[in-house]
Amino acid sequence: MSNASLSPLPSADRTDVAARLRDALLGASFTADGLLELLGAPAYAALSRGETVPALRATRGDTPLELLVRLFLLRGAVPRARLAGVLPVDDCLEGGWLVPRDGRLAATADVRPYGGPGGEDWYIVSDLGCAVGGAGGVGIREKGVVLGVGGASTTLAGLTVRTPVASALDLGTGSGIQALHASAHARRVTATDVNPRALHITALTLALSGARPAELREGSLFEPVGEETYGLIVSNPPFVISPGARLTYRDGGMAGDELCRSLVREAGRHLDEGGFAHFLANWEHVEGEEWTDRLRSWVPAGCDAWIVQREVQDVTQYAELWLRDAGDHRGDESAYRERYDAWLDEFEARGVRAVGFGWITLRRTPAAVPSVLVEEWPHPVEQPLGETVRAHFDRLDHLRAHDDAALLESSFTLAAEVVQEQVGLPGAEDPEHVVLRQNRGMRRAARVDTVTAGFAGVCDGTMSAGRILDAIAQLLGEDPVALRDRTPARIRLLVEQGFLEPA
């Protein structure tokens, strides 16, 4: 369907109306904290999954906050008289935020409270019924629909490095959540999208959140920005690998994972020195090809990269997931089977046996030999991860600048909240193995020998690595030279994985 079938949106030019609406929403505690207090944790969590029944049961009264929840999140129509003391009704009608419906007033867009990382009260605007990312739950399948906040959106926002930059680019902005985050630490924000409706909604999100306007540009990939460079690039692209581009918000329209590959490959020339680019992506696991080699080939010259595969689905699981996302399973069964078959035909033609999902982070570097780490990590992590990501690349710089001799002259500290676990038979004199475990960030676990565990436990920044190893050698009666020769590789791995930090 075309955008003409979607409902009219509020005016993006009436920032004065958006400011007055924002004041009214804040005055009624229509905020993330206010919603949690009103609805309670179970109903609030259900709403974040797109389930509205618990929220409807919790908003049967006529308090200002209950009225606003029904109006902006539950698609309800409210009598004008009840809204008169809550919202600037005339302004909202003039600005297009409200429209008459059967003698009542209804919202023209979903408005979802969203808490910023610094405690900001922000608002994410989206199409009606799409306040939560994933349109399948509400049966909306229009091609130009703009979704609100989903798990992918918050994942990307959480892993983005938040250092001050002169300029930031949100490529494929959607509802504008990444541009909104960037506005807090970038002097200039550019937001692009192939969908002009998304640019309109991004302008509304920024205005209603009290953020500075962004430069809005229509177009695909990096075409709208020419040769411009940025200190930060973020993108939650339409990465779904599908036979055709039915849904603008998720289907990239290129064969296989070509859209994600093109996005990553082109990002390098648009990054300032030291700048970061963060992407969510899907990639194909092709018969006869290592998926890690496939992704390494995507990394542009002059960039360090950290690529984390979070999940892998076989092609049948993948097809079912996205057919259900579009609500196809609720329609005609023969049409569903036909679409399912088309997906499998597409994968079979390219020899694809599975699809991976994960994060890709690039950093522009002057190093002669950039570092490219591709790993699989399906385990729980602690968000936000932005500081963990930044620290990872800082540690890479340290390791790159220190050969083994210099590394032994360096001092290290044990990272916060790293604990040691000893595993072995009950009553045994010595453990079978020792595990270092992080309780922050990536929450990694590393199996180490007793020498490495003892070394890590002593690292408090006061002694060099070499002196610590000499003391351990004397304690164990080992040759200190041999211990110094074999240990730097282990130290490097513990530093790379974040168990140890340069003092």
Side-chain angles (χ1 to χ4, degrees), residues 3 173 190-199 215-225:
N3 286 4
T173 186
T190 301
T192 71
D193 208 290
V194 296
N195 183 4
R197 189 175 181 86
L199 298 176
E215 297 179 9
L216 305 175
R217 304 184 190 179
E218 183 180 347
S220 177
L221 298 178
F222 289 98
E223 180 273 328
V225 301

Side-chain angles (χ1 to χ4, degrees), residues 3 16 26 28 39-40 60 101 103 139 147 170 219 222 227 265 300 365 377 389 433 443 447 468 474 503:
N3 286 4
D16 57 329
L26 293 174
L39 302 179
R60 292 169 172 168
R101 186 206 295 170
L147 303 187
D170 176 14
F222 289 98
E227 299 301 316
R265 289 290 296 173
T365 178
W377 190 253
V389 174
H433 60 265
R443 294 180 174 168
R447 183 172 174 173
I468 293 174
Q474 184 176 8

Side-chain angles (χ1 to χ4, degrees), residues 253-294:
M254 296 186 184
D257 51 19
E258 178 62 21
L259 182 138
C260 292
R261 189 199 71 84
S262 297
L263 188 61
V264 175
R265 289 290 296 173
E266 292 182 32
R269 65 186 180 90
H270 292 281
L271 278 176
D272 295 333
E273 200 70 63
F276 283 92
H278 302 275
F279 310 100
L280 300 185
N282 274 173
W283 42 81
E284 295 178 327
H285 286 230
V286 180
E287 196 70 41
E289 178 185 20
E290 287 293 330
W291 68 270
T292 53
D293 292 340
R294 184 180 190 84

Side-chain angles (χ1 to χ4, degrees), residues 3 6 127 130 135 140 142-147 195 197 249:
N3 286 4
L6 296 168
D127 270 311
C130 295
I140 292 181
E142 284 88 347
K143 189 172 183 180
V145 71
V146 178
L147 303 187
N195 183 4
R197 189 175 181 86
Y249 72 86

Side-chain angles (χ1 to χ4, degrees), residues 29-96:
S29 296
F30 187 65
T31 63
D33 289 341
L35 282 186
L36 180 59
E37 183 176 350
L38 170 69
L39 302 179
Y44 187 78
L47 191 61
S48 71
R49 299 190 301 268
E51 296 290 348
T52 60
V53 172
L56 284 166
R57 292 173 61 86
T59 55
R60 292 169 172 168
D62 283 332
T63 67
L65 182 53
E66 288 172 303
L67 294 174
L68 293 178
V69 172
R70 294 205 300 272
L71 182 69
F72 286 116
L73 285 174
L74 303 178
R75 304 180 70 180
V78 178
R80 176 170 182 152
R82 293 182 184 176
L83 287 177
V86 180
L87 297 177
V89 173
D90 290 337
D91 287 340
C92 289
L93 285 167
E94 182 183 351

Side-chain angles (χ1 to χ4, degrees), residues 304 363 367 369 371 373 391-408 410-412 455 465 487-503:
D304 293 324
R363 184 190 61 167
V369 182
S371 168
L373 173 62
H392 167 84
F393 287 94
D394 285 349
R395 294 193 304 271
L396 283 182
D397 287 342
H398 184 87
L399 293 174
R400 195 154 41 201
H402 292 73
D403 60 17
D404 286 354
L407 195 72
L408 292 175
S410 302
S411 57
F412 300 91
F455 174 86
T487 306
R490 302 176 189 175
I491 296 174
R492 287 184 181 278
L493 184 60
L494 291 181
V495 173
E496 180 182 290
Q497 294 185 341
F499 291 95
L500 295 178
E501 299 172 349

